[in-house]
Amino acid sequence: MGFTGTWSAAGAELEIELLREKLGQLREREVLNLEATVVGIDACLRNKSQIEKPAPTSQPNNSISYSGIGKREAQRDRFGYRRFDIYPETSPFASMRPSPELPIVGRRLGETAMFARIVPVLAVSFAASALIQPASAQTYTFKKIDIVKSDETILRDIAKFTILGWDLPATGIPTCYMINGTSKTAIADPLGEVTYCYGINNADTIVGYYEHGDNIAVGFTYSLGVYSDFSLPNGAPSPIPLGISDHGAICGYYYDINANPVGFVLRSGVVHLIKVPGALNIFPIDINNRNDVTLQVIDGAGNPHAYLRHGITMTELIYPGATLTIADKLNNQGQIAGTYTDQSAVRHGFVYDSATATYYTIDDPGKSETSLNAINDQQTLVGDFRNNPGASREGLKAVGSLP
């Protein structure tokens, strides 16, 4: 079912509202059939004659080795659901987890399972960020932060005052920590054997997931000492939250009953879906107070792409001359922390300012590699570095400002 014909503004708005009410009463397979209609009417209201959804262009990645990406290799859990290898082994994005494999498994939805109100927000236009010459931003002062001196440290996110980090011992399981000054608080969901934290907001609310003995991944939120399992009002199987705004909007992903990847934004109790045609995996990484979303997408050929979603537009982020661009956390000004790989397979940190379409190179001086994972509203950065190729990762905090 698709959009045809013409609409007046008033008639289109009424039809959208009727369709959205109907969406709340349908199962997921019926919802997907109606998405094209809603998107088409929205496009009509914006005086667009057609909806353009070209496939994202590929970035060269000859220096990347993959574990399962593109092959769509899968194992089955006891519920019949798949879990995929989703990260390039040498990608900075793999630092979100100490292993390149992230198990995504879940329960089956019963035939009578009904879905609550869902608002499809599939981006209908794609654009590439301006391939301008990157600017230097070495006005930062860098500080090393080790959670446990003998282990690897990765700093994943930063709020106004609090840093979210991982301690990765050489043996054993990783531990998530909330770091505020000299205070370090371990975050470990009591229902899990291992807990992975991905996002934090200025209220120190944390999102992530935990795994338990059945190798099942369960999303969670943490606030003021309380852990809560995460679910979506549409009944989606095993949603994994990755980012949270100061307003409480949460972004993440799940796989539907047909094992298709679905990104989501949960805002004010309403689930907004994010779909990219032909994608093997979709990872909405973070969301800010303007509802901008950063995403990593794996296309049908196994190539990774970085995107910024603003409204209905998805802009691909390609660092000039890079073989791989990773977009990670963003602040409320639309500035994005990320990592790119150069032609020599060396990782560098960067910030992309969406207001000026400018890339800023930011490397910890004298270090072999720099990865940047997050930026807050004060433009403070966190990430990790290696002193030498192959050395252990150490946490970094960079204080300064963009030009």
Side-chain angles (χ1 to χ4, degrees):
M1 180 178 180
F3 169 71
T4 58
T6 59
W7 296 80
S8 67
E13 290 173 356
L14 177 60
E15 186 67 12
I16 289 174
E17 187 59 30
L18 291 174
L19 284 172
R20 286 175 175 169
E21 290 299 323
K22 188 175 182 180
L23 288 175
Q25 303 172 3
L26 299 177
R27 290 187 291 270
E28 183 175 25
R29 60 178 178 268
E30 297 168 305
V31 169
L32 296 178
N33 290 334
L34 286 173
E35 287 183 351
T37 301
V38 177
V39 172
I41 297 170
D42 280 338
C44 178
L45 286 174
R46 293 170 176 80
N47 295 319
K48 293 194 176 188
S49 60
Q50 60 182 4
I51 301 175
E52 298 177 334
K53 297 186 289 184
T57 57
S58 299
Q59 275 185 256
N61 52 23
N62 297 331
S63 63
I64 311 273
S65 63
Y66 290 89
S67 175
I69 295 180
K71 301 177 183 178
R72 204 173 175 90
E73 294 178 345
Q75 294 177 319
R76 296 277 180 175
D77 75 314
R78 60 193 180 97
F79 297 101
Y81 266 84
R82 301 181 184 185
R83 55 190 179 93
F84 298 101
D85 294 332
I86 60 172
Y87 298 139
E89 290 181 352
T90 58
S91 164
F93 195 55
S95 68
M96 293 185 65
R97 190 169 192 265
S99 164
E101 182 184 62
L102 174 62
I104 300 304
V105 292
R107 62 180 178 85
R108 289 189 182 279
L109 288 179
E111 283 299 308
T112 59
M114 302 299 288
F115 284 74
R117 185 184 179 201
I118 304 174
V119 179
V121 290
L122 171 64
V124 297
S125 62
F126 287 80
S129 57
L131 298 181
I132 61 175
Q133 182 65 30
S136 177
Q138 292 303 123
T139 58
Y140 278 86
T141 300
F142 293 80
K143 177 184 179 181
K144 182 175 74 170
I145 297 180
D146 287 328
I147 296 175
V148 177
K149 290 188 180 297
S150 60
D151 298 341
E152 283 194 307
T153 295
I154 297 175
L155 302 183
R156 282 295 320 140
D157 201 0
I158 182 170
K160 185 174 183 179
F161 301 110
T162 308
I163 296 172
L164 195 62
W166 290 8
D167 170 62
L168 280 68
T171 60
I173 61 175
T175 303
C176 176
Y177 282 88
M178 188 166 59
I179 306 166
N180 197 324
T182 59
S183 173
K184 301 174 184 177
T185 303
I187 304 298
D189 195 299
L191 298 180
E193 294 182 354
V194 58
T195 299
Y196 298 101
C197 302
Y198 286 98
I200 187 170
N201 66 10
N202 284 339
D204 286 347
T205 299
I206 294 172
V207 296
Y209 77 93
Y210 65 87
E211 295 176 358
H212 55 67
D214 294 326
N215 200 27
I216 302 295
V218 180
F220 78 93
T221 62
Y222 169 88
S223 180
L224 301 176
V226 177
Y227 296 85
S228 302
D229 283 1
F230 178 77
S231 62
L232 291 174
N234 65 359
S238 298
I240 303 297
L242 298 180
I244 182 169
S245 75
D246 298 329
H247 295 162
I250 294 175
C251 67
Y253 68 100
Y254 63 89
Y255 292 90
D256 66 19
I257 57 178
N258 297 313
N260 297 313
V262 181
F264 70 83
V265 170
L266 176 63
R267 187 171 68 247
S268 301
V270 178
V271 180
H272 303 257
L273 302 183
I274 303 173
K275 294 176 180 291
V276 177
L280 289 179
N281 291 292
I282 302 170
F283 306 109
I285 302 301
D286 199 18
I287 183 169
N288 65 13
N289 291 345
R290 304 190 306 187
N291 298 316
D292 297 332
V293 178
T294 50
L295 302 99
Q296 286 295 141
V297 175
I298 309 299
D299 68 21
N303 300 307
H305 302 266
Y307 290 100
L308 170 64
R309 197 202 78 177
H310 178 74
I312 65 168
T313 301
M314 294 256 278
T315 300
E316 182 166 14
L317 305 181
I318 304 174
Y319 190 95
T323 61
L324 178 68
T325 303
I326 302 296
D328 216 308
K329 302 293 184 176
L330 78 167
N331 63 18
N332 291 318
Q333 285 74 52
Q335 295 161 339
I336 302 167
T339 304
Y340 73 90
T341 303
D342 67 19
Q343 299 290 335
S344 299
V346 177
R347 300 173 188 172
H348 303 270
F350 76 88
V351 170
Y352 175 74
D353 189 342
S354 63
T356 60
T358 303
Y359 293 87
Y360 294 95
T361 302
I362 303 175
D363 281 336
D364 193 343
K367 303 302 189 290
S368 172
E369 292 187 332
T370 300
S371 297
L372 294 181
N373 299 327
I375 181 171
N376 66 10
D377 290 344
Q378 290 73 43
Q379 298 183 357
T380 300
L381 301 160
V382 294
D384 56 88
F385 68 88
R386 296 181 191 268
N387 274 315
N388 301 292
S392 296
R393 287 170 290 187
E394 300 184 66
L396 73 82
K397 177 182 178 181
V399 178
S401 61
L402 300 176

